[in-house]
Amino acid sequence: MTATVLVTGARAKTGAPAVRQLAAAGADVRGGSSDPGGVRVPGVTPVRFSWDKEETWAPSLDGVDAVFVVRPDRADAPDVVARFVELSHPDTRVVLLSETAQGGYGPDDWAPRVEAAVHDSGRPWTIVRPGWFMQVLTDPRFFLDDLAQGRLPFPSGDARLAWIDARDIAAVAVAALLDPAHEGLTHVVSGPESLTLAETAAVLSAGLGRPVRHDDVDVDVALTGIDGFDREITEDTYARVRRGEFAEVTDTVQQVTGAPARSLAQFVADHADVLRG
Ligand SMILES: NC(=O)c1ccc[n+]([C@@H]2O[C@H](COP(=O)([O-])OP(=O)(O)OC[C@H]3O[C@@H](n4cnc5c(N)ncnc54)[C@H](OP(=O)(O)O)[C@@H]3O)[C@@H](O)[C@H]2O)c1
């Protein structure tokens, strides 16, 4: 039977490859976006979905077998996600894109409360916890413009990141959306190696054939122009990076998908045109 799957963030870095992979696997895919006209993937039905517009939730969920919840980064996410999932049929499989929790969270912290909204929902669930996405390097909202100027400004304090390709996160999520074997599991996913930001810049330089320099800027500089809750979680994320909490390498991608996680060098080769501007 064809599975009907809703992806709440069809334009997001992991949601976009997830809708493509689900369509390739033969699923009936609904690509949720507040801008459905921006979801143009063969075999994917764009649907209007916005965390800000509660009236879009129930129609998006109607008749779905599984939903990929691309976590919304907003202070009220624990409540919003709980109310959204509550509208789904009790048998709906719910897969949440969360983030690595290495180093430990308190139960009252924001990220575990979003996860609790899913695993306390009574629905069959899977949590996917990735580290930093390689796709921040090609995202104009993150590092793309800096890289065009040969700079990678990142307040890492020489800590390492096990960069992961969002295509691999999506592959793990898709497995969980389509296969009940993943129910009740938390998948911690990472890339195949843990790199300092200087090593990251070196991989970019080699792949692009031109110099890219890491600037270990102050956290305050990296937070310039970021306000409100976004600033709070971004500041917390940089603190966690600096404590080494995004350095863990796991073999989850290989275990779940049967293929090794893509390296940063592979990512740079695949996106060299975009990265070169
Ligand atoms: N980025 C990382 O390295 C990382 C690492 C670990 C965990 N996470 C978590 O993963 C979740 C998703 O993060 P993300 O970085 O994948 O989110 P993202 O790419 O910023 O996408 C989130 C949403 O932003 C909207 N959006 C607005 N303008 C856009 C544009 N120009 N291109 C694409 N989307 C646009 C889209 O919603 P509409 O289509 O409705 O506008 C999209 O679903 C978050 O909870 C984040 O904390 C991220």
Side-chain angles (χ1 to χ4, degrees):
M1 196 191 82
T2 304
T4 300
V5 183
L6 168 67
V7 175
T8 64
R11 294 198 303 149
K13 288 188 273 301
T14 299
V19 293
R20 284 194 294 274
Q21 293 174 23
L22 284 162
D28 170 16
V29 192
R30 293 183 192 168
S33 171
S34 60
D35 177 13
V39 181
R40 287 185 222 91
V41 183
V44 174
T45 307
V47 294
R48 187 169 299 283
F49 174 86
S50 168
W51 293 109
D52 290 326
K53 296 199 166 55
E54 204 158 334
E55 68 275 14
T56 64
W57 300 356
S60 306
L61 283 166
D62 188 34
V64 305
D65 301 297
V67 56
F68 184 31
V69 178
V70 176
R71 185 183 65 177
D73 286 346
R74 45 193 287 165
D76 62 355
D79 175 54
V80 164
V81 169
R83 285 191 289 117
F84 168 69
V85 173
E86 182 68 29
L87 293 174
S88 66
H89 186 279
D91 294 335
T92 307
R93 195 172 296 144
V94 181
V95 177
L96 173 70
L97 176 64
S98 182
E99 67 184 285
T100 184
Q102 218 213 352
Y105 278 118
D108 294 335
D109 288 338
W110 175 80
R113 286 191 294 120
V114 184
E115 292 189 0
V118 169
H119 49 68
D120 295 347
S121 66
R123 294 351 180 229
W125 59 265
T126 306
I127 309 282
V128 181
R129 288 183 179 168
W132 272 71
F133 305 172
M134 294 175 190
Q135 275 72 4
V136 295
L137 301 169
T138 46
D139 190 331
R141 296 169 295 157
F142 287 82
F143 293 116
L144 187 61
D145 294 343
D146 291 312
L147 289 170
Q149 293 163 40
R151 290 181 63 234
L152 179 57
F154 195 121
S156 68
D158 284 339
R160 290 175 179 275
L161 290 184
W163 294 102
I164 178 155
D165 193 313
R167 293 173 292 182
D168 292 328
I169 308 170
V172 171
V174 166
L177 288 160
L178 299 179
D179 182 351
H182 299 274
E183 287 173 14
L185 299 180
T186 296
H187 288 312
V188 180
V189 293
S190 82
E193 61 194 339
S194 192
L195 301 171
T196 64
L197 269 292
E199 289 166 347
T200 301
V203 172
L204 284 157
S205 301
L208 300 179
R210 68 181 196 211
V212 173
R213 179 173 44 93
H214 170 228
D215 282 346
D216 209 37
V217 294
D218 287 343
V219 174
D220 280 351
V221 172
L223 293 173
T224 305
I226 307 176
D227 301 315
F229 183 69
D230 264 358
R231 186 179 179 94
E232 217 176 282
I233 55 170
T234 307
E235 188 169 9
D236 181 56
T237 302
Y238 282 132
R240 295 175 58 221
V241 167
R242 295 166 77 87
R243 291 198 295 269
E245 295 178 15
F246 286 89
E248 183 186 20
V249 174
T250 70
D251 66 353
T252 309
V253 172
Q254 172 83 53
Q255 293 296 332
V256 171
T257 70
R262 292 172 174 87
S263 66
L264 184 65
Q266 178 70 57
F267 172 83
V268 173
D270 290 348
H271 297 87
D273 287 350
V274 178
L275 286 162
R276 288 200 185 100

